[in-house]
Each structure stands twice: as C-alpha cells, then as structure tokens.
Amino acid sequence: MAKIVFEEVTKTFPTKDRKNRRNKEEFTALDGIDLEIGAGEFVVVVGPSGCGKSTLLDLLGGLTRPTSGRILLDGKPITGPGLDRGIVFQQYALLPWRTALGNVEFGLEATGVPRRERKDRAREFLDLVGLTGFEDRHPHELSGGMRQRVAIARSLAYDPDVLLMDEPFAALDAQTRESLQDELRRIWQRTGKTVVFITHGIEEAVYLGQKVAVMTSRPGRVKEIVPVSFGARGAGLQGEDLRSSPEFARYRHEIWTLLHGEVARAQQLEKEEATV
Ligand SMILES: Nc1ncnc2c1ncn2[C@@H]1O[C@H](COP(=O)(O)OP(=O)(O)O)[C@@H](O)[C@H]1O
Ligand SMILES: [Mg+2]
C-alpha cells in the first residue's frame, strides 16, 4: 500500500478586492493533484515559484485542508498535524532562548519521552547531523547551516515516519547546501523514512530524488514524474563527481525542459496581472 496518496486534491483560497472585501472569485492554488508516494521513498517536488509547492506540503502536514479531494496517509485521510510527520521549513523555526540540545528536546516533550531519555535521544540526533560539541550553543551562536541541522535533528528525534521539507536548504550558501544534501541522503538511507522534499532547484531535485515530480505553473498540477537513478551512485560516486557526470546532465536537462515552459508561463501570468 502507498504511504501517501493524493486523490484529485484541489485547494482554492478566497480572494479580496481592493477594499479588502471578500470576492466571490476563488484563487486556485492546486488543481486536481494525483500523486502516490511509497513507504521509504524520497520524492522531490519541483516547480516554479507560486505554483503551490508550499500549499501541497502544508496539506500533507495537516496545516490546511483540501478544498476538494483527499490526502491519505497509511490509507487514512489526514485531518491535522501529527507526530507521524516531521516538518522542516526554509527558515529555521528554532526557539532562540533554547540551546541546540534544548531545541531538539522540545520536539520530544510532546511525545512524552521521560526527561533523562530526552537528553540522550537529543544528543544522539545532534550527533547524527554532525553537531556533536555544539549542544550548548544557542541559535544565534550557530551558522545558518548548523541551525538547519538542528531543525532536521529536531524533526527526526521523535521518529516520524514521514519527513516533509519545504526548501530547507534554499537560504544556505552552495557549499553548505551540498554537504547537507549528502547528509540528508545518508540519514534517509539509514532511517528508511519517507521524504517529501520541495525545491525550486533543478540540481537539488536531481541530486536528491528517487522520483522528481515536476509541477506546472499555477494552478499547480503534477506535470510529470521523472524517476531518477544513477548507476554511478552504486559505485560510490557522489558530490561534484556525480554532479558532473553525463547521467546527471541528462536528468538535469530533462527536468529543465519540463520546467522551462512552466516558468515562462508563470512570468507571463504575473505580467498580465500587473497590467490589469
Ligand atoms: N493562505 C493563502 N491565502 C491566499 N493565497 C494563498 C495562500 N497561501 C498561498 N496562496 C497563494 O497560492 C499560490 C501558491 O502559493 P505557494 O504554495 O506558497 O507557492 P510556492 O511554494 O510554490 O511558491 C500563490 O499564488 C500564493 O500567493
Ligand atoms: Mg514555497
């Protein structure tokens, strides 16, 4: 059975007129999304800005509800947020007054893990993301990449089946982003979690995904799903070596071609709206 199923999922938002009154017209952010994600799969969703990627992830997180259609998790409709799903956003949603360890522990408080065990578990997950020795630092004493590592450790610590990530590395410099991509893949392989990863970066999508779902510009639909697999990865190729391989270039071009028309269409829509 699929871990996650989107069935004809549509999401509309009310619109307001110039006087801030609610319009009759609705704005369609997602239009008939059908998508199946298997347990343990790493799926990347890529699409132009404004196509509904965050809306899709918020629906999975149970932060909003579909206007029509259903989203099933383990065969049951999602009715709200839950500890079976961990979410990592683009901006580090860390508590500034807590240390790295305290932030990871925070995720465990809701699950009723006893205090002493919380500390051990938090240390273990900080270690997993390479932050041993930084347990007692506060967020302002950590680099952007380290903060995002803390956010990942926090969402992993309570052991959700599903990891939802909304452009988690977008605000980081290229080198930090690439090392976190490798770390995330390692963690995914080690833990076997189902990962849904949102990005607007083609390279990131190709590097991370087992499947890349390419979305249309709004209203967002799934245009195509591209399965990605590198023979070279089996031989231990990663990082720059993998990125500069001919296989990688082929996938990048395939996804670029799918996206290209959509980005142009999104820009055209924006222009039209600006002149109305
Ligand atoms: N709460 C909301 N109310 C009204 N419109 C929204 C709301 N959330 C998102 N939108 C609109 O839906 C579209 C898709 O947004 P979003 O999912 O954030 O796109 P993406 O993450 O792909 O950039 C955008 O045009 C955005 O303005
Ligand atoms: Mg977004």
Side-chain angles (χ1 to χ4, degrees), residues 2 7 37 74 85 99-100 107 109 121 124 132 142 158 162 171 188 190 202 206 213 221 224 233 237 244 252 275:
E7 288 177 354
I37 297 171
D74 293 320
R85 283 150 289 152
T99 62
E109 285 161 18
R121 180 108 62 105
E124 187 190 314
T132 300
L142 297 169
Y158 56 87
V162 178
W188 166 67
R190 203 195 292 189
I202 298 175
V206 173
R221 272 184 288 258
E224 195 159 318
R233 207 168 230 155
L237 214 59
S244 54
R252 185 174 44 206
T275 56

Side-chain angles (χ1 to χ4, degrees), residues 6 9-13 27-31 33 35 45-60 64 71 166-167 196 198-200 213-222 266:
F6 283 76
V9 172
T10 291
K11 178 72 181 176
T12 62
F13 293 110
F27 174 86
T28 305
L30 294 174
D31 187 17
I33 298 281
L35 183 64
V45 179
V46 68
S49 147
C51 75
K53 301 184 295 298
S54 294
T55 303
L56 185 127
L57 206 80
D58 289 350
L59 287 166
L60 266 178
T64 53
I71 308 173
D166 191 358
E167 309 211 26
V196 183
I198 304 279
T199 183
H200 62 263
V214 181
M215 289 182 69
T216 63
S217 57
R218 58 169 225 255
R221 272 184 288 258
V222 177

Side-chain angles (χ1 to χ4, degrees), residues 7 26 38 66-67 85 89 95 111 128 134 143 154 165 176 178-179 182 190 195 202-204 235 241 245 250 257 268:
E7 288 177 354
E26 302 256 285
T67 310
R85 283 150 289 152
F89 297 103
L95 302 170
T111 59
L128 183 70
F134 295 92
S143 69
R154 184 178 56 188
M165 308 182 90
T176 308
E178 288 175 10
S179 77
D182 281 329
R190 203 195 292 189
V195 181
I202 298 175
E203 299 233 344
E204 184 162 70
D241 294 336
S245 69
R250 260 200 311 279
T257 306
Q268 185 58 36

Side-chain angles (χ1 to χ4, degrees), residues 131-146:
L131 283 181
T132 300
F134 295 92
E135 295 88 347
D136 298 328
R137 300 261 190 114
H138 284 82
H140 74 272
E141 300 168 304
L142 297 169
S143 69
M146 287 173 163

